[in-house]
Amino acid sequence: MADVGELYLGQQLDLSTGEDSGEPLPYDRDDLTTHGVIVGMTGSGKTGLAVVLLEEALTSGIPALILDPKGDMPNLLLNFPDFAPSDFAPWVNDGDARNAGQSTGEFAAAQATMWRESSGITPERMRALTSSVEFSVYTPGSSAGTPLNIIGDLRAPSADTDIESIREEAAALVGGLLSLIDVDADPLASREHILLSNIVETAWAAQRDLDLAALIAQVLEPPFRKLGVFEVDTFFPAADRRALAMRLNGLVASPSFSAWTEGAPLDIGALLHTPDGRPRASIMYLAHLSDAERQFVVSLVLARVITWMRGQSGTNNLRALVYMDEVVGFVPPTAEPPAKRPILTILKQARAYGVGLVLATQNPVDLDYKAMSNAGTWMVGRLQTERDKARVLEALSSAAGSADLPAIDTAISGLGKREFVLHNTHDRGAPKRFSTRWAMSYLRGPLTRQQLPALPNLAAPPAAAPATPAGEAPASADASRAEPAEAKPALAEDESPVPPSVASGVPVYYVDPAAPWAPELGAVAGGKRLAPVIVARAHLRYDETRAGVVHREEWEAIIPLDGDVRLDQARQVDVDERDFRRDPPEGAVFVIPSAKLDTATFFRDVERDLKASLQRERTVELFANRELKLFSRVGETEEAFRARCEEAARAEADREAVKLRDTMESKMDRVRAALARAEDRVEQYQADTQTRSSQEWIAGAGALLGAFLGGKSSATSIAKRLGRSASGASSRRGQTTRTRQRLENAQEAFGRKAEELEDIEADLQDDLADLVERWEEVAAQVERLQVGLERDDVDVDEVALAWLPTK
């Protein structure tokens, strides 16, 4: 492969015909930082494509965390570079062998031969994968594979973890625990969720570890007096808290629950890399768990991924890949299961940290719209129904307005097994159709728990990385380098070394002066005077029924806060998580605005006014050709739209031309038939004229000879005979003359029909020229259309406070 960052997924096919182009499919692994979706019905080759994608990523040095609800992904370990039948034999399906009319041994030998002769993969490449990557299969709640300590001692995240990550990890833990005891885990509506989340967050924010015993004890005696504005006993009476504690205790007392607290630690860094830096492929095998248990594991694992990634430096390159197979039920469009929130958070934020998420599903209806619209790579295989295809096309039109939907639609309809259509928002070209390469792994289908211990290529579980004790400085810290603090200048009347109170629940950020947009707003590197601004994020939905356009747009802006919020001075920017710091600079001075930052009402008013302003002022421009019933796609240039109109007009002109030619050809066929008949008559009359002329001459000569030689030779007799001959000759000349007249008439008729045929052909050319000219005029009838927003089309996702270093 020419480029270590390029993944070889298979061979490129002609988009329309499916013929092999002879070229490999190019795909840059860093494109996965904007995440991907693999869609395909059962039997489409979806699992094979996922395995190939993971093999390529791992071979290129990218670690993978694999969530496997179905049990297919341990196939990654079935790597047999010797192509020995004895290697295949333990893993072939007896049913496959019976269907092939072979014994298990014969079928294994046939598989080995096929792999050796047809795969096109060298043993060296297969060995390179298993030697450079450590493979592990974890079985939470079971010892069939490597046990995973999912909840263990509930250790607090590291001291430098931001409060948002602590909150999200606590919510995932609590949501999973409550799902195990069949309690509604809605973070906003469930009082059980609110109580437990506050207990966990309070402990972790103070760097205190928990265990389940301590958590249950604090349910009975919470470490705080109020929840919101209510006393704890009012919000959640003691008797009800005791009932919750009993249910949690029953879970902990269950003999099977001990497996959840044993095994390798849930350390994302250790799951992704070996101590010497080699990549790991860590498979979370979940096929043995109930739906609630799967939700618990997935939500907690992904919450830990979020905490881990936020501790990494920003990058545009792929750092790690998270793959989730058969995502149905985890991020549905209408419900809010525990796993949904961390999945959406990763899709939204992980790009900045180089973490890619790939979701696979049999049906696009399985996925929430927000998840689908955040995916930059789509690999679509054969689909079950037209409704599924329509859902995919709808998602593509929103996630990537530049997608060639008609071409994708046509290509999907003609896909075969192991064929996929690739749409990549990083690739400005047309969608690509490809067939997957042969996997290095033997794809035998789902594995049972009992088969896991026998898997080849299994590595030992990772040990926990030692954590730095809370409050302890890193070993590299050098206190001897501390310098005397500079004298601080006197503060202005509106300045304070202490930040003002901010309403509960409102995020607070500190702008990095290196952010691309910060200097334009007056940010200064090293600045310690922090001015308040509003960070606003919203999703806009432009819906134009006539055009069949539904366009969703993410809107982010920095808004000055100078007494009042200045919406008219909002600066739209591309806000990235890397644009903010967790803490203010040392010695920071805060400019205190007159706005009531400590009241939720202030931020609600900002949200309301922002929504009204966006609804009033934001539009998108479309181009329309009403005669052709064509509307542009959002972002399509006028030049491109006019080219599309011209193409559509040419198609209409071609259709009308076909009809016109058919009509004219029918007329010309009738004239040609009449012309042929006239030509036949001309030929007939020409022959008749020649015959009669010959007959007239011969008869005249015969009569003359007869008059002189026949009978009596007296003058009177000869005169009589000459008279009779002259009479007969006159009759014959009359017949000849009439025949010649018929010939002339037939020739004139032939000429008229020939002229009529020429006239029809000339009319056809004139009509075709008029038709082309008319449709050219139609194609040029392009008008502009402004699409605005209605009240329900604006969703304000966040109104936060940020501090901008000005000097």
Side-chain angles (χ1 to χ4, degrees):
M1 195 172 299
D3 185 349
V4 71
E6 189 170 287
L7 309 185
Y8 171 49
L9 303 182
Q11 290 295 111
Q12 194 164 337
L13 309 176
D14 184 271
L15 186 63
S16 301
T17 65
E19 294 181 1
D20 193 335
S21 69
E23 297 292 329
L25 176 78
Y27 186 80
D28 189 335
R29 73 183 186 188
D30 291 337
D31 291 349
L32 287 173
T33 57
T34 52
H35 318 300
V37 175
I38 300 176
V39 183
M41 61 182 283
T42 300
S44 64
K46 172 174 54 38
T47 300
L49 172 58
V51 168
V52 167
L53 179 66
L54 288 165
E55 289 175 347
E56 289 290 320
L58 291 165
T59 301
S60 70
I62 300 300
L65 179 61
I66 303 163
L67 301 168
D68 183 21
K70 185 179 175 184
D72 276 318
M73 304 319 294
N75 287 183
L76 275 166
L77 284 80
L78 301 182
N79 183 307
F80 308 133
D82 295 331
F83 303 119
S86 58
D87 290 337
F88 284 83
W91 303 103
V92 299
N93 284 309
D94 292 339
D96 292 339
R98 284 195 301 272
N99 292 337
Q102 297 174 319
S103 66
T104 300
E106 291 170 340
F107 187 75
Q111 292 293 298
T113 300
M114 180 173 62
W115 228 259
R116 181 173 55 254
E117 297 178 354
S118 303
S119 69
I121 300 175
T122 64
E124 291 75 19
R125 188 163 181 231
M126 298 173 73
R127 291 190 180 96
L129 174 62
T130 55
S131 63
S132 62
V133 178
E134 279 199 2
F135 291 88
S136 300
V137 179
Y138 295 91
T139 51
S142 170
S143 59
T146 300
L148 191 65
N149 188 347
I150 287 292
I151 51 179
D153 55 6
L154 302 184
R155 288 177 299 171
S158 60
D160 60 351
T161 303
D162 61 278
I163 189 62
E164 184 180 0
S165 296
I166 290 176
R167 188 168 292 141
E168 289 179 349
E169 190 170 330
L173 168 67
V174 170
L177 275 174
L178 291 176
S179 68
L180 293 179
I181 58 174
D182 294 326
V183 172
D184 178 18
D186 186 335
L188 298 179
S190 166
R191 61 180 184 174
E192 291 86 357
H193 195 291
I194 294 171
L195 173 66
L196 290 174
S197 295
N198 275 275
I199 292 172
V200 175
E201 183 180 328
T202 298
W204 284 357
Q207 281 294 290
R208 293 196 303 271
D209 294 339
L210 284 172
D211 57 24
L212 283 173
L215 180 63
I216 294 172
Q218 291 187 29
V219 168
L220 297 172
E221 295 292 338
F224 35 74
R225 188 171 59 85
K226 285 187 174 184
L227 279 173
V229 299
F230 291 106
E231 297 287 333
V232 169
D233 286 342
T234 302
F235 179 80
F236 204 148
D240 295 342
R241 297 202 309 273
R242 179 170 294 278
L244 173 61
M246 292 297 290
R247 294 182 72 174
L248 288 171
N249 187 67
L251 177 68
V252 174
S254 170
S256 63
F257 190 75
S258 61
W260 294 92
T261 63
E262 299 171 350
L266 184 52
D267 182 333
I268 300 302
L271 293 175
L272 292 176
H273 287 100
T274 63
D276 60 1
R278 287 184 299 135
R280 276 189 165 122
S282 295
I283 301 170
M284 299 292 167
Y285 179 93
L286 311 177
H288 61 295
L289 301 178
S290 67
D291 288 343
E293 291 170 335
R294 291 176 188 172
Q295 289 285 348
F296 176 44
V297 174
V298 171
S299 61
L300 190 53
V301 169
L302 293 183
R304 291 285 177 93
V305 169
I306 293 169
T307 300
W308 171 83
M309 78 180 187
R310 285 177 174 163
Q312 309 302 307
S313 60
T315 179
N316 293 324
N317 303 120
L318 185 65
R319 170 181 277 136
L321 182 61
V322 179
Y323 172 75
M324 186 166 184
D325 197 37
E326 299 300 347
V327 74
V328 58
F330 289 92
V331 57
T334 55
E336 292 289 333
K340 183 173 180 178
R341 176 174 290 190
I343 290 176
L344 294 181
T345 298
I346 290 175
L347 287 168
K348 172 66 176 174
Q349 300 179 9
R351 173 176 63 91
Y353 304 98
V355 177
L357 174 63
V358 177
L359 304 174
T361 181
Q362 296 182 24
N363 188 333
V365 178
D366 297 342
L367 291 177
D368 182 85
Y369 169 76
K370 291 180 183 177
M372 300 176 79
S373 64
N374 276 287
T377 293
W378 285 76
M379 299 182 190
V380 184
R382 291 191 300 174
L383 298 173
Q384 189 80 29
T385 65
E386 286 296 317
R387 178 169 174 260
D388 294 343
K389 184 171 68 171
R391 176 66 168 164
V392 168
L393 295 175
E394 177 190 355
L396 280 172
S397 69
S398 299
S402 61
D404 189 346
L405 298 183
I408 295 175
D409 187 350
T410 302
I412 292 174
S413 300
L415 290 176
K417 187 175 182 181
R418 295 177 56 209
E419 290 184 4
F420 293 82
V421 173
L422 168 66
H423 176 75
N424 183 359
T425 56
H426 299 272
D427 187 349
R428 299 299 181 186
K432 294 179 174 62
R433 180 173 177 176
F434 71 100
S435 61
T436 56
R437 71 158 172 81
W438 201 292
M440 288 186 268
S441 311
Y442 177 52
L443 305 179
R444 59 90 60 207
L447 297 179
T448 65
R449 271 191 297 177
Q450 292 72 24
Q451 292 173 301
L452 298 182
L455 281 169
N457 304 309
L458 271 175
T468 302
E472 182 177 312
S476 60
D478 187 356
S480 65
R481 296 188 181 183
E483 298 179 359
E486 298 180 0
K488 296 182 179 179
L491 299 180
E493 185 177 340
D494 63 345
E495 295 177 345
S496 170
V498 179
S501 298
V502 180
S504 176
V506 175
V508 177
Y509 303 119
Y510 297 92
V511 176
D512 188 334
W517 45 265
E520 299 177 10
L521 298 174
V524 177
K528 297 182 183 299
R529 186 175 188 271
L530 306 185
V533 294
I534 295 292
V535 178
R537 309 175 201 246
H539 277 85
L540 314 179
R541 181 180 184 273
Y542 299 92
D543 188 354
E544 175 52 53
T545 304
R546 292 173 296 171
V549 170
V550 177
H551 171 65
R552 291 172 172 83
E553 177 182 303
E554 184 175 297
W555 184 89
E556 298 171 318
I558 304 297
I559 307 170
L561 180 56
D562 184 12
D564 295 325
V565 177
R566 304 293 300 275
L567 291 176
D568 58 327
Q569 297 182 16
R571 181 74 63 87
Q572 190 171 354
V573 296
D574 183 12
V575 176
D576 190 288
E577 297 299 323
R578 293 170 293 181
D579 296 340
F580 301 111
R581 295 174 174 174
R582 295 190 181 96
D583 302 304
E586 186 177 353
V589 173
F590 297 86
V591 178
I592 309 300
S594 59
K596 297 181 178 180
L597 300 181
D598 58 343
T599 65
T601 301
F602 169 76
F603 290 95
R604 283 198 298 269
D605 290 345
V606 172
E607 179 177 341
R608 180 200 62 210
D609 294 344
L610 175 61
K611 188 170 185 176
S613 175
L614 290 171
Q615 178 188 345
R616 184 173 58 252
E617 298 175 6
R618 298 287 296 182
T619 63
V620 295
E621 184 177 67
L622 300 179
F623 302 104
N625 187 309
R626 299 187 186 278
E627 181 73 18
L628 290 169
K629 298 181 180 178
L630 282 181
F631 295 85
S632 68
R633 295 180 286 269
V634 175
E636 185 176 15
T637 64
E638 182 176 0
E639 180 183 2
F641 179 66
R642 286 186 180 277
R644 197 149 57 88
C645 290
E646 290 169 3
E647 182 179 354
R650 282 194 296 271
E652 291 294 333
D654 289 344
R655 279 193 285 271
E656 287 193 17
V658 170
K659 294 180 181 179
L660 181 59
R661 285 193 181 94
D662 289 344
T663 301
M664 289 299 195
E665 283 292 337
S666 178
K667 292 177 65 176
M668 287 190 286
D669 286 345
R670 292 195 296 271
V671 174
R672 289 189 188 104
L675 188 62
R677 291 194 297 273
E679 185 177 17
D680 291 342
R681 285 196 294 272
V682 169
E683 291 175 354
Q684 177 186 345
Y685 292 148
Q686 284 175 337
D688 289 349
T689 300
Q690 291 174 353
T691 299
R692 289 193 178 279
S693 295
S694 299
Q695 289 175 348
E696 181 182 346
W697 184 86
I698 293 171
L704 185 61
L705 289 173
F708 286 97
L709 301 177
K712 297 178 180 181
S713 58
S714 65
T716 302
S717 297
I718 290 172
K720 287 180 180 180
R721 284 195 294 274
L722 286 173
R724 286 193 299 272
S725 297
S727 176
S730 175
S731 175
R732 285 189 293 274
R733 280 194 300 274
Q735 292 176 349
T736 300
T737 299
R738 287 191 295 275
T739 301
R740 286 196 181 102
Q741 184 62 46
R742 292 190 190 98
L743 174 60
E744 290 175 0
N745 293 340
Q747 288 173 331
E748 290 177 0
F750 179 82
R752 287 194 301 274
K753 290 299 180 183
E755 289 178 0
E756 183 180 355
L757 183 60
E758 290 176 357
D759 290 343
I760 294 174
E761 291 176 340
D763 290 344
L764 173 60
Q765 295 307 315
D766 291 342
D767 290 346
L768 288 175
D770 292 343
L771 186 151
V772 170
E773 183 178 358
R774 177 165 58 83
W775 280 108
E776 286 177 348
E777 292 174 354
V778 169
Q781 297 171 8
V782 173
E783 60 183 275
R784 297 174 186 270
L785 180 66
Q786 298 296 325
V787 181
L789 295 166
E790 298 178 1
R791 181 176 180 81
D792 293 339
D793 293 336
V794 180
D795 290 325
V796 178
D797 301 320
E798 180 182 60
V799 174
L801 178 68
W803 294 99
L804 186 75
T806 57
K807 65 179 181 179

